[in-house]
Each structure stands twice: as C-alpha cells, then as structure tokens.
Amino acid sequence: MKADKQIGHLVLGKTPQGSWAHKTIINPLGSNEFDADFMLDMSENTDWSDDPKKYIEEVYAALHRHSTYRNMPHSRKCRCVRLVYANSMHLDIVPHLNLADGREVIVNRDDNDWESTDPQGFTDWMKSKDALAKGNLRKVIRLMKYLRDHKNSFTGTRSILLTTLLGEQVTELRTMLDPGYYSDVPTTLLHLAKDLDGWLQARPTKPSIPDPSGSGVTFDHRWEQSTYSYFRDRIHVHTGKVHTSRRATPSALSRPRTNPTEHQDVVVGRRTSLAATRR
C-alpha cells in the first residue's frame, strides 16, 4: 500500500486486530476460509472529510492497481476491503484513522460515516483478562468458537461478542476467593461457562454490550434478540454438560494426554482434536 502512487503517502502502517491479535483464531470448518483482520493506519485527507467511504474506495482501487493483488479476488465490505488468498484465507483490511478532532475511527461504508473505535484498547483489555486467567481465557474462547463453527451451536453470535462476554466473566475477585479458579483449561471452562450462564439467565432480554476498551460504542448492532435468545439457551445447555462431565470424570479432565493435540471436549461429551487450545 505504501508503494501506491495515489494513497501511499497516507499509509502509516498496519496493526493486527480481532482474533489475529487476540490469538483466538481456530481452524475453519470445511471449505470455509481463515479470517484475519488488520487495521490499515492512515493519515487524514481533509478533502475526504465529508465522504468517509472514500477511504475504503481508495484502498480497493489501490489493490486493483497492484500488479499482484489485482489478479486476486477483492471486494468492498461495510468496514473493510477483503482480499482473498488461495488455500482458504481472506484478509480484511480496515482503514483506521486518528482524526484532527481527536477521534479514533474506522469507516462505515454503508452509512458513509465514521465509527469510534479503540482496537488497541480492546486487545490490551483482552490480554489483561487472559493473564488474570493464567492464559486460559483465550483457550476457552477457542473451544467456544469450535462449538459455534464446528458443532453449529449458537450460530450467528459474532466473535467480538463471544470474546467480550467471556472476558467480562474473568475477575480478580474470583482469584482472591479461589486462587485455583482459572488453574487450567477444564477448570476455567467450567467456571466461565457457569458464570456466563448465570449472567445470561438473569437477562432474558438482549442486554447492551459496551466495548470494554472504553471507546464509548456498543456491540449491540452485532446481533438481534432472536440470536441472543438462542445463544442464551445454548450456553445454558452446554453449561449443564460441562458440569455433568466434570462430576463424572474430574481427574480425567486435568491429567495430561498421551497425544498432546487431544483434549477432553467436556462441552459436547466426546474426545475431540483441539490443537488450537495448545497454542
């Protein structure tokens, strides 16, 4: 992008975001593609101040001018430009700016407007929660993504919501009351499932989910009441299975496996290859 003659001078750099930055990417299901995102850090062009979508249009045009990328599938989405690689991967390129008025923003192309954001703040929040959970939060998130993507449970719940809701259950108070509360993956899964289920069951109506980075925005537009209700019901079912499996085989859940890529999948009640949780 920096080499592009038309917008290269606006490109400041790039920053991984989402599952890439949070280390929660899992293998996609079947022929589905890996999804990686990065922020394309750009300086403001005052000529485009009244036309924010211009940033997405120009990034798309720059790919179209590139000798390699123009021959690869690429398209414009609401907040990004998608570039599709061979071997089941696509890259979402999200224009990201710090405006002169102090706002940190991305573009909503559909509305031709800015959206406030703090991707680094969210990543820092996620890392702090994961550290509090002894590195097991991201592993539990991968397990829950596995349920969603490979077992077709709570489909429609976006990763940003899943990460936020699980991360919000991790608290320092829990570790003060019980130092072993997040001691390993099975224990963390048991406790986060129970805590999240309790939180959800107390809220039959879709609650507002604020961005924990403090950007001032919410993720409420990422799902509807029906999607939330389905998620709430499925988490309740899975929590029951986790408790049943833990009571049935407490020692089996924590002992090392002969094959390090296998883990007892206590959520669905069977052994499943989950190499992602070992990363």
Side-chain angles (χ1 to χ4, degrees), residues 57-221:
E57 302 293 348
E58 289 298 328
V59 170
Y60 174 82
L63 291 178
H64 210 61
R65 288 189 291 268
H66 194 276
S67 59
T68 299
Y69 300 141
R70 69 185 177 197
N71 297 314
M72 298 166 59
H74 52 285
S75 58
R76 289 158 290 193
K77 302 295 183 179
C78 178
R79 298 172 180 85
C80 68
V81 177
R82 177 165 295 177
L83 179 65
V84 181
Y85 286 78
N87 302 319
S88 298
M89 173 186 170
H90 69 255
L91 186 64
D92 288 340
I93 305 168
V94 183
H96 167 248
L97 298 89
N98 286 283
L99 302 178
D101 62 11
R103 287 180 294 163
E104 184 177 2
V105 297
I106 58 175
V107 175
N108 184 315
R109 177 171 168 264
D110 293 347
D111 296 338
N112 196 20
D113 204 354
W114 305 113
E115 287 186 358
S116 295
T117 189
D118 185 0
Q120 188 57 54
F122 189 95
T123 297
D124 291 344
W125 170 85
M126 166 63 189
K127 288 181 176 179
S128 70
K129 291 289 189 174
D130 191 45
L132 190 58
K134 299 180 171 61
N136 293 316
L137 171 60
R138 56 189 160 94
K139 296 174 183 178
V140 168
I141 291 172
R142 291 186 199 132
L143 284 166
M144 299 302 279
K145 285 186 175 183
Y146 173 86
L147 275 178
R148 181 193 63 189
D149 298 347
H150 292 255
K151 299 299 179 182
N152 295 318
S153 189
F154 52 87
T155 53
T157 299
R158 308 293 283 272
S159 293
I160 189 71
L161 289 163
L162 193 57
T163 298
T164 301
L165 289 170
L166 286 168
E168 290 287 20
Q169 306 313 310
V170 177
T171 68
E172 189 171 3
L173 178 61
R174 296 291 191 185
T175 64
M176 293 172 62
L177 296 174
D178 179 0
Y181 204 75
Y182 308 118
S183 59
D184 53 36
V185 176
T187 302
T188 304
L189 174 62
L190 174 72
H191 289 149
L192 289 187
K194 176 178 67 69
D195 293 343
L196 178 58
D197 182 48
W199 190 89
L200 293 170
Q201 294 310 308
R203 295 164 175 82
T205 302
K206 185 187 79 162
S208 182
I209 309 295
D211 177 357
S213 74
S215 68
V217 302
T218 72
F219 301 136
D220 299 353
H221 61 288

